[in-house]
Amino acid sequence: MKHKNGFLLIGSFCLGAVVTLLLSLIFPEKKSDSIISPSNYGEIASINQVYEALKSYHYFYEGDSQALIDGAISGMINALDDPHSTYFTMTDYENFVEHLEDTYSGIGCEVTTVNGYTMIVSPFPDSPADEAGILANDLVVEVDGENVVGQTLQEVTNKIKGPVNSTVTLGISRNDNPDLIYIEVTRKAIDQETVKSELITEEGQAIGYLQITTFGENTAQEFKTAIEELEGQGMTGLIVDLRNNSGGYLTSVVEMVDYILPPGKVITTIESRDGSSVSYETESEGKNYPVVTLINEGSASASEIFSAAMKEAGGYEVVGTTSYGKGTVQVSMPLDDHSSLKITTQVWKTPDNNWINEKGVTPTVEVEAPEFYNYYQVYLENGKELEFDQVNPAIANAQNILNTLGYSVDRTDGYFDDSTISAVKQFQKDNNIAETGIIDNKTASQLTLALRDKIRDKAFDTQFKKALEVLQNT
């Protein structure tokens, strides 16, 4: 492979995950000489004039000049209308560096900024966020009762993260519903396990299944090792699951595609603002068995490079729904005062020279996930139980879950009727819970766990089953 002399970030900001590799030598040694030139000195001077005027005359100025500087820089970043570019203050930067460790404390999800909202790109599989019922495209409106709309990505993530075993309650807007969903999440120490493998025997065929949760620094090697083990077990075809994988390192995805495709195939082309570009091409021998890639709306950046390369350069099938649509590349630039910029410096193109930004990668075989994938945990606000004659969005969700689990209810509009009582009682009986017909904390928890078990059961996974079918017919 070509051009492996650096790491570039092609994912969104991650709560506690490896997000970027700080690059040295980004700024020249004399930054003031390179930034301020005769052509732009007037612009810089006007910024200084505003700064001095606020310090000297603003009625509410309390002597915090660093706040003015931080605000000015943040304002410039915000003016770019680029949710993936961020300014970290000194304090924010210290918190950000914590995320570079292999193990971290957090809720485990990828986030970005959209129109002033912090949006969940995807929760990591089996993370606290995933277990709590947080979904891709959820908008974080409140954190522990505080409205965070309009706050910077770093400000919101700093409020969400915290010590192991502590809790945070997120007020979530989902599917433009005006009523917020309140989800309590217990923060945990999370290890970065990026590749999970399984050999599935189906109709005499040995199918390898790899779930890639993120493209970390060691993911390419984990990927290769897992494939070698599956090949040793007689694998004849491979499914690579990138659903809800929100990205990571460019070098990792390039190595992984190179390992699969034959030599001479373009993986991706990285383009700079000056018009220059670098294409990454495969050099390995590749694999001679069919490969199917699974994607959904939570698959972003590096996942999209992988799936687009498999589709366009490899001619392989991609199954699922259209991906997130992030076609930009970021680098992190440390500043002299220990603050930092993470800014978009390049864009990437698919092998067929398509730019998928805000469009996504379209699967070759489109399959929707089951409707119940969109349901979420039964959350009791302030521990208040749900019972007969109440009307509550949480009741509607519980009714949908009960129907999904085979406990029939007559309505799913959030009104707790007699049929809901009967269904709850039967569920409680089957799960050794006192048969009250009331949804208390224990019942709500068991409903959530039962739904999660069904979501994880591949027998109900329409997208996985289609990938398996496509692979068997290849």
Side-chain angles (χ1 to χ4, degrees):
M1 289 170 293
K2 302 176 178 60
H3 308 289
K4 294 172 59 178
N5 60 329
F7 288 89
L8 293 176
L9 175 70
I10 45 178
S12 305
F13 185 79
C14 171
L15 290 179
V18 176
V19 185
T20 187
L21 182 66
L22 304 182
L23 302 180
S24 58
L25 304 178
I26 290 176
F27 284 129
E29 199 167 314
K30 296 181 180 179
K31 290 197 290 290
S32 60
D33 290 343
S34 62
I35 295 175
I36 301 177
S37 65
S39 63
N40 64 13
Y41 181 79
E43 298 170 0
I44 302 299
S46 64
I47 293 174
N48 187 62
Q49 287 177 325
V50 172
Y51 172 71
E52 292 296 338
L54 294 176
K55 286 176 60 179
S56 300
Y57 305 113
H58 196 277
Y59 184 86
F60 294 109
Y61 178 71
E62 296 180 348
D64 189 355
S65 58
Q66 186 62 47
L68 297 180
I69 295 171
D70 292 340
I73 298 175
S74 296
M76 285 190 283
I77 295 294
N78 292 337
L80 297 171
D81 194 25
D82 175 13
H84 306 295
S85 291
T86 306
Y87 168 65
F88 299 108
T89 66
M90 287 183 282
T91 301
D92 290 340
Y93 184 67
E94 291 172 0
N95 293 328
F96 175 70
V97 171
E98 295 176 5
H99 302 330
L100 299 177
E101 300 176 357
D102 291 337
T103 301
Y104 62 90
S105 172
I107 68 171
C109 64
E110 193 88 9
V111 295
T112 189
T113 299
V114 176
N115 297 327
Y117 287 89
T118 296
M119 188 184 79
I120 306 296
V121 175
S122 64
F124 299 154
D126 301 323
S127 67
D130 181 35
E131 293 178 354
I134 293 174
L135 302 177
N137 297 323
D138 281 350
L139 300 178
V140 180
V141 177
E142 295 182 5
V143 178
D144 284 334
E146 178 188 352
N147 190 299
V148 295
V149 177
Q151 294 187 17
T152 67
L153 192 65
Q154 185 64 45
E155 288 172 334
V156 177
T157 55
N158 283 346
K159 290 178 171 65
I160 295 175
K161 73 183 188 70
V164 172
N165 295 326
S166 63
T167 61
V168 59
T169 299
L170 305 183
I172 297 293
S173 174
R174 179 174 294 164
N175 297 329
D176 297 323
N177 192 323
D179 297 318
L180 296 185
I181 303 164
Y182 290 93
I183 300 179
E184 184 179 69
V185 190
T186 300
R187 304 175 179 102
K188 294 181 182 179
I190 301 173
D191 295 322
Q192 289 282 56
E193 181 185 15
T194 64
V195 179
K196 298 179 181 179
S197 66
E198 180 182 356
L199 187 69
I200 300 167
T201 302
E202 187 77 18
E203 297 183 0
Q205 296 186 39
I207 306 299
Y209 172 77
L210 292 181
Q211 182 185 41
I212 315 298
T213 59
T214 189
F215 290 86
E217 194 168 353
N218 299 316
T219 302
Q221 186 55 53
E222 293 177 31
F223 181 75
K224 295 174 185 177
T225 299
I227 287 178
E228 290 172 1
E229 292 175 352
L230 291 170
E231 289 174 340
Q233 299 174 52
M235 176 179 69
T236 58
L238 177 64
I239 296 174
V240 179
D241 191 346
L242 300 179
R243 290 176 296 179
N244 296 321
N245 180 323
S246 50
Y249 289 117
L250 174 64
T251 47
S252 292
V253 66
V254 166
E255 287 184 33
M256 292 162 67
V257 174
D258 177 67
Y259 190 64
I260 296 292
L261 297 186
K265 299 291 186 179
V266 174
I267 301 170
T268 185
T269 299
I270 309 297
E271 296 184 357
S272 299
R273 192 175 69 175
D274 63 5
S276 61
S277 63
V278 175
S279 291
Y280 292 80
E281 297 183 5
T282 57
E283 296 179 348
S284 70
E285 295 180 1
K287 301 297 180 182
N288 59 4
Y289 44 73
V291 181
V292 173
T293 305
L294 275 170
I295 61 172
N296 66 1
E297 61 278 359
S299 306
S301 61
S303 294
E304 293 170 303
I305 288 180
F306 187 98
S307 55
M310 299 301 288
K311 173 184 173 181
E312 297 180 1
Y316 290 118
E317 303 286 3
V318 176
V319 174
T321 52
T322 300
S323 62
Y324 176 78
K326 180 178 181 295
T328 58
V329 181
Q330 287 73 41
V331 297
S332 186
M333 300 181 176
L335 306 179
D336 283 347
D337 64 354
H338 304 295
S339 59
S340 178
L341 294 177
K342 178 169 75 74
I343 64 173
T344 299
T345 57
Q346 296 165 310
V347 301
W348 66 268
K349 301 288 184 65
T350 71
D352 289 345
N353 203 39
N354 295 314
W355 192 41
I356 57 87
N357 202 56
E358 299 184 354
K359 299 176 183 176
V361 176
T362 304
T364 59
V365 181
E366 189 161 358
V367 182
E368 294 287 341
E371 178 64 27
F372 65 82
Y373 274 35
N374 295 317
Y375 303 153
Y376 49 92
Q377 76 168 63
V378 182
Y379 181 73
L380 305 182
E381 189 172 357
N382 298 321
K384 186 177 179 180
E385 296 175 345
L386 304 174
E387 54 186 293
F388 177 69
D389 206 34
Q390 289 182 354
V391 179
N392 192 306
I395 295 173
N397 191 61
Q399 290 168 330
N400 281 318
I401 293 175
L402 286 164
N403 271 331
T404 297
L405 299 174
Y407 299 92
S408 179
V409 294
D410 294 338
R411 57 198 301 167
T412 56
D413 59 359
Y415 174 71
F416 207 121
D417 65 346
D418 289 329
S419 70
T420 305
I421 293 176
S422 298
V424 171
K425 282 184 176 180
Q426 187 60 50
F427 177 82
Q428 290 170 330
K429 180 180 179 180
D430 293 344
N431 288 272
N432 299 315
I433 303 171
E435 298 172 43
T436 63
I438 296 172
I439 301 178
D440 55 9
N441 276 315
K442 187 171 184 180
T443 304
S445 176
Q446 286 299 316
L447 280 169
T448 300
L449 291 173
L451 176 66
R452 189 177 311 130
D453 288 342
K454 185 163 184 175
I455 289 174
R456 292 175 178 174
D457 190 337
K458 290 186 177 65
F460 302 101
D461 188 341
T462 53
Q463 294 171 331
F464 169 80
K465 290 170 69 176
K466 175 57 73 172
L468 200 59
E469 177 188 326
V470 168
L471 200 58
Q472 291 171 324
N473 293 330
T474 301

